[in-house]
Amino acid sequence: MPNETNLTARFHAARDVRLAEEPMPKIRDGESLVQITAVGLCGSDLHWYDEGGIGDARITSPLVGGHEMAGVVRGGELDGVRVAVDPAIPCHHCDLCVAGHPNLCRNMVFAGHGTCDGGFQRYLAWPTGRLHPLPDALSDADGAMLEPLGVAVHAVDLGHVRLGASVAVLGCGPIGLLMIQVARAAGAARVLAADPLPHRRQVALERGADAVLDPSEPRYYERLADFTDGLGADVAFEIAGTDPAIDAAVEVVRPGGRVVLAGIPSAEVSSFPASAARRKGLTFSLVRRMKEVYPRATALVTGGLVDVRNLVSHRFPLADVSTAFETAVARQGLKVVLNP
């Protein structure tokens, strides 16, 4: 591939993503060249596109986004191997890495964030140790979906879901829909889901929710209580990134229960009903990406416990990246995937 160039899609500002032919990536020691074959549009990518940043993180120089990736290794020890790309590169040496929290690494490098280019490009140079070979049963898009599935797995870990537990999932985008399935696989006996979009509520039922609610309905809080006969859910997962969803999580969970915040808000500050949370003695956990869960995520898919394939509703070539983002921002389907 000595004469090839690398097609990239870079964020320059809000709603300004530009295609360009750039030089091929330089491969350093310990890296492999990955030809990206599938990359999903995450909710965080939508913030970069629609708002020019996430909270206090802003686009300061043109950035190639995308962190839900799969591809084929070209050259080196893994030549020809299909892989899922772990977008996180922890240092493995800081106090948090040593303590078993690589997702909180003080020196983290993450694809499509800061100055590290991500997967919205034809080729990517990436540490070989962060590449996970894909089983033949998984498609390239399945491989890209392992990253959001990993976030769902980490969230359910933080929720301490026990056998027979009751769970509420508030927000049924792709990660919320995956969370329903992971909670079921973890042993949840009852799952309630809520989302304002009818097509997402329907898919939530198909993926294992016992009941679905529309947050805009007049008796929303009453119906949340009805689901648990007034006792409250053991765990509530907020995956919408809004204060009303956090309010609903505090409302639906039982005294002594857990609220897991996985949504990414547009604003820098989120709020919750402090009095109700204090009276209930709730435990809050916030989801920061994931730990080393790619093998577990792969096993969930190959074992038939989680369906990632049918969550992909739209596919676009990289040349149609703007159309792909407009489709995702409009919430017209579920997961939008680019095929560079």
Side-chain angles (χ1 to χ4, degrees):
M1 297 170 280
N3 298 320
E4 282 199 53
T5 56
N6 188 28
L7 180 65
T8 66
R10 289 189 180 275
F11 296 126
H12 286 252
R15 292 185 175 268
D16 181 6
V17 56
R18 305 178 196 174
L19 292 166
E21 292 285 353
E22 301 184 5
M24 290 288 288
K26 294 182 179 180
I27 310 301
R28 298 177 294 186
D29 288 346
E31 291 184 339
S32 295
L33 181 67
V34 182
Q35 182 180 356
I36 301 298
T37 53
V39 54
L41 272 58
C42 176
S44 60
D45 294 315
L46 302 190
H47 284 292
W48 288 116
Y49 174 76
D50 201 32
E51 302 158 18
I54 304 172
D56 62 350
R58 313 306 296 175
I59 296 174
T60 57
S61 60
L63 174 70
V64 176
H67 59 267
E68 301 176 358
M69 302 177 280
V72 181
V73 178
R74 299 303 184 192
E77 61 187 89
L78 295 179
D79 184 42
V81 175
R82 297 169 55 250
V83 295
V85 181
D86 188 331
I89 309 175
C91 72
H92 296 300
H93 299 298
C94 71
D95 57 329
L96 290 167
C97 283
V98 172
H101 307 296
N103 59 313
L104 305 179
C105 174
R106 296 184 187 275
N107 308 301
M108 176 70 76
V109 174
F110 195 83
H113 187 90
T115 60
C116 181
D117 288 338
F120 296 154
Q121 55 185 321
R122 188 179 294 134
Y123 292 100
L124 174 74
W126 207 247
T128 304
R130 307 306 285 170
L131 306 178
H132 298 267
L134 288 175
D136 291 340
L138 270 61
S139 70
D140 295 341
D142 295 342
M145 289 293 291
L146 292 178
E147 197 279 339
L149 175 55
V151 174
V153 170
H154 180 53
V156 171
D157 285 347
L158 291 174
H160 296 186
V161 175
R162 300 182 299 168
L163 288 171
S166 59
V167 165
V169 177
L170 307 172
C172 295
I175 292 180
L177 294 170
L178 291 168
M179 213 170 280
I180 291 169
Q181 299 179 71
V182 176
R184 282 293 197 195
R190 302 187 71 201
V191 178
L192 169 70
D195 195 277
L197 298 178
H199 70 279
R200 290 186 172 180
R201 294 198 299 273
Q202 179 59 41
V203 176
L205 286 173
E206 295 169 358
R207 294 296 173 270
D210 295 290
V212 294
L213 298 177
D214 180 349
S216 66
E217 62 182 84
R219 295 183 60 248
Y220 179 47
Y221 275 12
E222 293 177 47
R223 294 197 61 196
L224 287 175
D226 290 344
F227 176 74
T228 61
D229 298 323
L231 299 177
D234 296 303
V235 189
F237 295 96
E238 178 279 317
I239 190 61
T242 66
D243 285 352
I246 299 175
D247 294 349
V250 171
E251 178 73 20
V252 72
V253 78
R254 64 168 172 79
R258 288 180 174 269
V259 173
V260 179
L261 304 181
I264 299 178
S266 296
E268 177 60 14
V269 176
S270 296
S271 65
F272 65 91
S275 295
R278 176 180 52 80
R279 285 195 299 268
K280 287 186 173 184
L282 301 181
T283 297
F284 282 77
S285 293
L286 278 75
V287 177
R288 178 59 168 169
R289 297 169 180 159
M290 72 179 96
K291 295 189 177 180
E292 304 295 328
V293 301
Y294 266 82
R296 294 167 61 198
T298 302
L300 286 170
V301 178
T302 57
L305 295 172
V306 173
D307 176 9
V308 297
R309 185 164 301 177
N310 289 323
L311 297 185
V312 177
S313 59
H314 295 79
R315 300 171 187 263
F316 294 91
L318 187 58
D320 291 340
V321 62
S322 294
T323 303
F325 268 107
E326 290 299 323
T327 300
V329 167
R331 302 294 197 273
Q332 294 177 4
L334 297 174
K335 174 60 68 175
V336 176
V337 169
L338 290 169
N339 298 118

